[in-house]
Amino acid sequence: MKREHQETIGGAGSSNGNKAESSSSSMATGKGKLWVEDDQDAGGMDELLAVLGYKIKSSEMADVAQKLEQLEMVLGSEDGFSHLASDTVHYNPSDLSGWVQNMLSEFNNLPSTDLDSSILLSNNQDSQPSTITSLDFSNNSQSKVFVDDSEYDLRAIPGVAAYPQKEFDKSNDRKRMKLTPDGSSTAPAVAVNSLQSSNSSCSPSSSQQAIMAVSGTLSEPTRPVVLIDSQETGVHLVHTLLACAEAIQQENLKFADALFKLIGPLASSQAGAMRKVARYFAEALARRIYKIFPQDYCLDSSYSDTLEMHFYETCPYIKFAHFTANQAILEAFANASRVHVIDFGLKQGMQWPALIQALALRPGGPPAFRLTGIGPPQPDNTDALQQVGWKLAQLAQTIGVKFEFRGFVANSLADLEAEILDLRPPEVEAVAVNSVFELHRLLDRPGDIDKVLGSIKAMRPKIVTIVEQEANHNGPVFLDRFNEALHYYSSLFDSLEGSGLTPPSQDLVMSELYLGRQICNVVAYEGADRVERHETLAQWRTRFDSAGFDPVHLGSNAFKQASMLLALFAGGDGYRVEENNGCLMLGWHTRPLIATSAWRPAAGDSQLPSQ
Amino acid sequence: MAGSSEVNLNESRRIVPLNTWILISNFKLAYNLLRRPDGTFNRELAEFLERKVQANTIPVNGVFSFDHVDRTTGLLNRVYQPAPENEAQWGIAELEKPLSTTEVVPVIIFFHGGSFTHSSADSAIYDTFCRRLVSTCKAVVVSVNYRRSPEYRYPCAYDDGWTALKWVKSRTWLQSGKDSKVHVYLAGDSSGGNIAHHVAVRAAEEEIEVLGNILLHPMFGGQQRTESEKMLDGKYFVTIQDRDWYWRAYLPEGEDRDHPACNIFWSEWHKSRRTGVP
């Protein structure tokens, strides 16, 4: 079910800080073209504001201006301001109209359920030990509707915001479901554009074109580069790597070989992250030049799980993924008495203890919790899924949460059918579908991702949480993929350097190996073997939007909590959480590296009872 | 201010284009939420609300950008350059050759505004502005992501500005002209203008060549209010009250607005006798 896209310049914080021109000649014409001549584009969005990260229709502007004036006038008192500042959960600042409206509504809701909220407050504070002390938050006060509680144990998910009162629920839903059928305030449509690549020397294959046709459009390519010190002196090394990749693309293997031999000494002269990254990329290039293709990337999942565990310990990316996804799930499960999480990649189940604990701490008691874990077949026929399920069951028992587990083995998520999951109707059980770094594997075969998105809809979930790498490692042009990956993994490796672990720490070495395998897959593999087909948030948005999902926005409370999580990591200075049109991204300095988004089937798309 | 707020709002709405008015009013509203009466700042909410854009080595409208981070200090600079003529060189940061060996290519070190507290080098508003600067001036722009108050007070922003100046001056790939040197201008709006000024003064003192300053409504003040401050209080999005908050957040604790960071005219008298800065 295709939704009507508005052509817009594209949203905040993402790659689309540029003006979309219908002839896409902006890149070719070079200099000269200055500022906005015409303040409106075809979609009716104000162009000036769009470039600055705010989506607002020209027709809405007078109304928004009036609301801004209203807010200005009613918020003369300090009390009014501090309430909005400290208690209100903000969503998607790019939707200026929605944001302003939200605050007006919040302000109007000010005097309300004092008694209920103070009960909620005291429950939370009793049960959550305080561990975070360094950050200052606004004072609690009885008259507030709910307070974003700053005291929490990392293992539990904090915040009264996760347990909204019924009254707040309505306005929450209003926020989230203000996506009207005519498509206003939808997820930002990406500027319609033909496939662009600055170095395209070959046209996309027909399967790629089919994928593009299905998914809609490809966003304009961007290449965010963050250089860390040594990379400046390593520029020669980078150029050599790129030249080698280009030679391979042109199938000039003799030249590629000559360049490859230069890389070793150049890499050795570098320090730290740059050297390590270069080595992995060089190795991957070597596989292509000398045609060494081991087939074992996917086979040993327990090996890759082990590596991932070390990566999990070393840096905050996976923790951030789990944390933000859990927050969205928790909020979606707010009033349900039976809940069911379907995890598309159970692995070691590291995401779930925190959620189980948070559910246990829910005022009014935990819901019954069902977990369905999906995983690949094991080479030695051990039932890895059951083992994980068993451990989680033990944890659930000790903290008093009713728990059920089911494991499903599948070679591919596309093999999954909603029917076999033994789902109960949405009135009985709230379902969450969770996918952390799994969906991109489906992108090799066109149709697989669509099948899976269809299955997800058939599961009638309350929420779908998706975490993916924020990079385009799935473009059709090898050199572009290589360049993208080089910069992406350079940032990742650099953040590992900043982790404060001194070599030869096992965690560090394993983490690097974990990433190194991904690099190898992106660069040296093709076809079905190339599973690390990362795509950007903008690309995923287009897919989900086209497939009939509405975004569920992650708000300022999740953002704040994620920021606090990061502050606990050594070398935390470089990590940045960023809000992007309702999604949250974690990056190293200014380079976003992973993105969490949440979705639900579009209203009116299924037989969901209205909530 | 409260009494005359209605008149003030209408006046700015009459003069300022609607989309600009909405943009700045939106900032004003957000900033009001972020400043706490006790002088603390809601940094998390500020970062949540801030619209940012990534650097992009692929040229857009003839300009590309990339970020550089100094690992030891964590200082980030965003570099904006005109796109290379040769398309084959797009998407790569060229860090080996000078900008030109024949022509002079000015390098504008830009300090973004935000009253020392708000915004960053990767804020959408400043990214857009810096790109325009490159196009209009045919210059390279280096936007400095200096540390902000109240977490980092005076003189951190100036120190970061100084570090950035030294960094820019020492990049061979920013050199131009037959004399093979980096031709530097300092620029900034609001607090950025204040920083540019103070960095320029120090440059003059330490004999680092800066070719000129470009100050856009630079942020200065003093204990005594000027006539224009009193006349314009609240008329165009800015109030004396919020200015005072920002100075309290930036200046060392206990200092007032006659501190030389803020009130440059008082201390300029002393400085100009030594350095000859006009």
Side-chain angles (χ1 to χ4, degrees):
Chain A
M1 169 184 288
K2 262 198 154 40
R3 314 196 70 211
E4 195 165 41
H5 286 273
Q6 287 166 337
E7 248 161 88
T8 159
I9 306 292
S14 70
S15 52
N16 299 333
N18 45 30
K19 234 171 88 147
E21 316 222 338
S22 52
S23 64
S24 60
S25 58
S26 55
M27 281 164 48
T29 49
K31 333 174 196 208
K33 179 107 190 173
L34 277 181
W35 202 230
V36 184
E37 281 92 30
D38 182 50
D39 268 6
Q40 273 199 43
D41 74 358
M45 294 285 172
D46 184 276
E47 271 196 2
L48 166 72
L49 292 173
V51 172
L52 302 180
Y54 299 98
K55 290 181 333 265
I56 172 171
K57 288 210 275 213
S58 302
S59 53
E60 285 179 319
M61 296 216 323
D63 180 56
V64 170
Q66 193 186 26
K67 289 189 173 131
L68 282 167
E69 281 182 320
Q70 254 182 299
L71 274 167
E72 165 96 27
M73 287 196 263
V74 300
L75 296 180
S77 70
E78 295 276 294
D79 285 346
F81 268 128
S82 64
H83 163 70
L84 283 189
S86 58
D87 303 329
T88 305
V89 179
H90 298 264
Y91 293 91
N92 195 2
S94 286
D95 173 16
L96 199 45
S97 174
W99 184 65
V100 170
Q101 179 59 51
N102 180 38
M103 285 196 286
L104 269 175
S105 313
E106 287 294 320
F107 186 78
N108 292 333
N109 285 341
L110 235 183
S112 62
T113 59
D114 293 2
L115 192 59
D116 292 346
S117 69
S118 53
I119 289 174
L120 271 172
L121 271 178
S122 58
N123 273 348
N124 269 338
Q125 277 163 359
D126 287 346
S127 52
Q128 292 171 9
S130 147
T131 54
I132 313 298
T133 53
S134 56
L135 295 167
D136 169 57
F137 292 91
S138 57
N139 304 318
N140 296 343
S141 162
Q142 260 65 13
S143 63
K144 310 285 168 50
V145 175
F146 66 101
V147 172
D148 212 335
D149 196 329
S150 64
E151 299 172 308
Y152 66 102
D153 182 319
L154 186 62
R155 286 170 288 120
I157 293 171
V160 181
Y163 313 119
Q165 289 292 292
K166 278 279 190 302
E167 297 80 47
F168 179 73
D169 226 348
K170 286 204 197 83
S171 60
N172 217 354
D173 283 353
R174 183 157 30 92
K175 269 190 289 276
R176 293 178 175 179
M177 289 183 63
K178 65 170 169 307
L179 308 166
T180 58
D182 71 338
S184 63
S185 315
T186 55
V190 169
V192 176
N193 212 333
S194 54
L195 174 62
Q196 284 269 346
S197 170
S198 59
N199 288 317
S200 58
S201 46
C202 45
S203 52
S205 67
S206 56
S207 65
Q208 285 288 346
Q209 278 179 329
I211 291 172
M212 275 161 54
V214 162
S215 71
T217 61
L218 221 51
S219 48
E220 277 193 37
T222 65
R223 191 155 299 147
V225 171
V226 179
L227 300 177
I228 318 282
D229 303 327
S230 61
Q231 284 167 273
E232 208 176 333
T233 54
V235 66
H236 202 46
L237 170 59
V238 169
H239 288 177
T240 310
L241 283 165
L242 291 173
C244 186
E246 186 169 20
I248 291 172
Q249 174 163 290
Q250 290 161 353
E251 299 190 25
N252 186 347
L253 295 182
K254 214 167 136 205
F255 188 37
D257 169 65
L259 286 165
F260 176 75
K261 296 195 162 75
L262 297 175
I263 293 173
L266 278 172
S268 302
S269 69
Q270 289 303 302
M274 195 60 224
R275 183 175 71 228
K276 294 174 187 175
V277 162
R279 286 247 154 87
Y280 282 113
F281 276 89
E283 191 203 306
L285 286 173
R287 290 182 183 281
R288 282 194 101 107
I289 300 172
Y290 309 114
K291 308 223 192 289
I292 315 161
F293 298 114
Q295 297 297 319
D296 64 354
Y297 188 82
C298 299
L299 281 184
D300 199 345
S301 59
S302 63
Y303 176 58
S304 52
D305 279 2
T306 306
L307 293 182
E308 191 168 288
M309 286 300 302
H310 289 279
F311 183 72
Y312 177 87
E313 291 298 331
T314 309
C315 48
Y317 301 103
I318 302 185
K319 289 188 171 124
F320 172 86
H322 292 173
F323 190 84
T324 48
N326 282 350
Q327 183 67 22
I329 294 172
L330 201 64
E331 292 186 25
F333 281 173
N335 296 311
S337 55
R338 310 189 66 86
V339 303
H340 182 187
V341 171
I342 301 166
D343 187 1
F344 275 3
L346 184 68
K347 298 192 183 143
Q348 297 299 309
M350 298 299 291
Q351 184 170 348
W352 308 118
L355 184 68
I356 295 173
Q357 276 180 304
L359 290 172
L361 294 171
R362 206 167 75 159
F369 180 63
R370 260 212 302 161
L371 177 65
T372 299
I374 299 166
Q378 298 297 304
D380 51 356
N381 276 332
T382 51
D383 199 341
L385 293 172
Q386 279 304 124
Q387 287 174 2
V388 173
W390 177 237
K391 282 192 229 167
L392 290 172
Q394 288 181 302
L395 169 72
Q397 186 177 48
T398 53
I399 60 179
V401 176
K402 245 182 89 182
F403 180 78
E404 252 182 76
F405 177 81
R406 206 114 169 260
F408 281 97
V409 170
N411 267 305
S412 159
L413 289 171
D415 297 339
L416 211 63
E417 307 278 342
E419 293 79 51
I420 64 172
L421 294 176
D422 184 28
L423 297 166
R424 290 159 206 164
E427 310 86 68
V428 172
E429 187 175 73
V431 172
V433 176
N434 181 81
S435 167
V436 176
F437 303 139
E438 294 293 338
L439 288 189
H440 59 258
R441 297 165 179 273
L442 297 164
L443 296 179
D444 171 50
R445 292 170 45 179
D448 273 6
I449 184 66
D450 299 307
K451 180 157 189 284
V452 171
L453 292 178
S455 303
I456 293 176
K457 278 202 289 190
M459 298 171 198
R460 295 153 91 193
K462 193 101 191 297
I463 192 151
V464 182
T465 46
I466 306 294
V467 186
E468 285 288 330
Q469 290 91 344
E470 178 61 10
N472 186 358
H473 295 153
N474 196 27
V477 180
F478 171 69
L479 183 58
D480 289 346
R481 275 206 312 276
F482 186 85
N483 203 342
E484 290 283 328
L486 184 57
H487 288 108
Y488 180 81
Y489 286 100
S490 292
S491 281
L492 261 181
F493 268 78
D494 200 76
S495 72
L496 288 183
E497 292 286 302
S499 71
L501 291 172
T502 46
S505 140
Q506 185 179 40
D507 269 347
L508 193 56
V509 169
M510 298 290 191
S511 302
E512 290 167 3
L513 208 53
Y514 169 75
L515 295 175
R517 276 158 56 87
Q518 285 183 10
I519 291 169
C520 190
N521 190 265
V522 173
V523 173
Y525 286 66
E526 288 299 344
D529 292 327
R530 176 151 62 89
V531 295
E532 301 293 350
R533 293 178 177 266
H534 311 145
E535 288 193 348
T536 61
L537 178 61
Q539 291 168 294
W540 287 111
R541 278 204 176 107
T542 308
R543 283 181 201 285
F544 272 84
D545 202 59
S546 309
F549 288 88
D550 288 340
V552 175
H553 291 154
L554 301 165
S556 53
N557 52 342
F559 180 95
K560 181 158 82 172
Q561 289 150 15
S563 304
M564 289 166 70
L565 166 72
L566 292 178
L568 300 174
F569 275 82
D573 270 354
Y575 293 111
R576 301 247 181 283
V577 185
E578 206 173 288
E579 193 281 344
N580 182 317
N581 263 295
C583 303
L584 294 185
M585 310 212 282
L586 173 60
W588 181 243
H589 295 290
T590 49
R591 171 70 211 250
L593 293 169
I594 65 172
T596 302
S597 60
W599 305 87
R600 73 207 296 188
D605 191 273
S606 63
Q607 278 103 40
L608 275 177
S610 58
Q611 315 235 6
Chain B
M1 184 203 149
S4 58
S5 61
E6 186 161 346
V7 171
N8 294 335
L9 286 169
N10 286 341
E11 177 173 333
S12 63
R13 257 192 90 167
R14 262 203 303 276
I15 313 261
V16 176
L18 185 58
N19 52 12
T20 309
W21 189 91
I22 286 178
L23 179 74
I24 310 297
S25 297
N26 166 52
F27 288 158
K28 188 173 110 183
L29 173 63
Y31 294 175
N32 284 342
L33 298 180
L34 302 170
R35 295 191 302 270
R36 298 200 195 96
D38 65 355
T40 60
F41 185 72
N42 192 340
R43 183 61 66 190
E44 287 78 30
L45 185 57
E47 291 299 302
F48 175 81
L49 294 174
E50 188 72 20
R51 305 293 86 196
K52 302 192 182 209
V53 299
Q54 294 176 39
N56 190 356
T57 49
I58 296 177
V60 174
N61 288 346
V63 181
F64 75 94
S65 63
F66 61 91
D67 289 340
H68 177 279
V69 177
D70 178 332
R71 186 194 303 285
T72 42
T73 59
L75 188 66
L76 182 139
N77 293 327
R78 178 166 288 185
V79 179
Y80 301 83
Q81 294 182 234
E85 301 281 340
N86 183 359
E87 259 192 63
Q89 291 173 332
W90 286 6
I92 307 167
E94 164 62 68
L95 301 177
E96 292 183 294
K97 301 199 287 279
L99 296 170
S100 167
T101 45
T102 50
E103 313 269 302
V104 166
V105 180
V107 177
I108 305 174
I109 301 180
F110 177 75
F111 300 97
H112 67 80
S115 308
F116 296 103
T117 304
H118 299 282
S119 299
S120 332
D122 57 342
S123 294
I125 46 172
Y126 287 112
D127 186 86
T128 306
F129 176 73
C130 288
R131 286 170 168 274
R132 289 175 71 185
L133 215 47
V134 171
S135 295
T136 320
C137 307
K138 312 280 184 277
V140 167
V141 173
V142 178
S143 183
V144 181
N145 202 41
Y146 58 88
R147 284 170 293 168
R148 300 165 298 188
S149 57
E151 298 94 325
Y152 298 98
R153 293 172 177 268
Y154 165 94
C156 294
Y158 302 154
D159 290 344
D160 290 350
W162 182 250
T163 305
L165 176 60
K166 299 292 288 290
W167 183 82
V168 164
K169 277 287 191 180
S170 59
R171 301 302 103 187
T172 51
W173 49 274
L174 286 176
Q175 289 172 349
S176 63
K178 299 200 179 81
D179 47 358
S180 282
K181 66 177 187 187
V182 186
H183 295 79
V184 169
Y185 293 80
L186 299 177
D189 70 312
S190 172
S191 55
N194 177 298
I195 297 170
H197 166 81
H198 286 288
V199 172
V201 167
R202 185 171 171 185
E205 286 171 352
E206 303 200 25
E207 291 175 352
I208 305 264
E209 187 190 32
V210 170
L211 296 171
N213 271 9
I214 306 155
L215 306 187
L216 307 166
H217 46 84
M219 183 176 160
F220 297 110
Q223 277 305 111
Q224 206 179 4
R225 313 293 184 188
T226 66
E227 277 311 306
S228 59
E229 271 181 309
K230 290 188 272 196
M231 184 181 73
L232 293 170
D233 185 14
K235 291 235 162 65
Y236 287 92
F237 313 105
V238 172
T239 66
I240 289 178
Q241 193 183 34
D242 67 61
R243 294 298 101 199
D244 284 354
W245 189 98
Y246 292 115
W247 283 120
R248 271 197 304 275
Y250 176 65
L251 297 170
E253 313 241 16
E255 293 284 353
D256 68 15
R257 289 185 307 275
D258 282 333
H259 185 279
C262 175
N263 188 346
I264 58 170
F265 298 103
W266 178 245
S267 51
E268 269 319 295
W269 185 81
H270 300 283
K271 286 228 160 63
S272 68
R273 295 159 98 229
R274 289 205 312 279
T275 66
V277 172

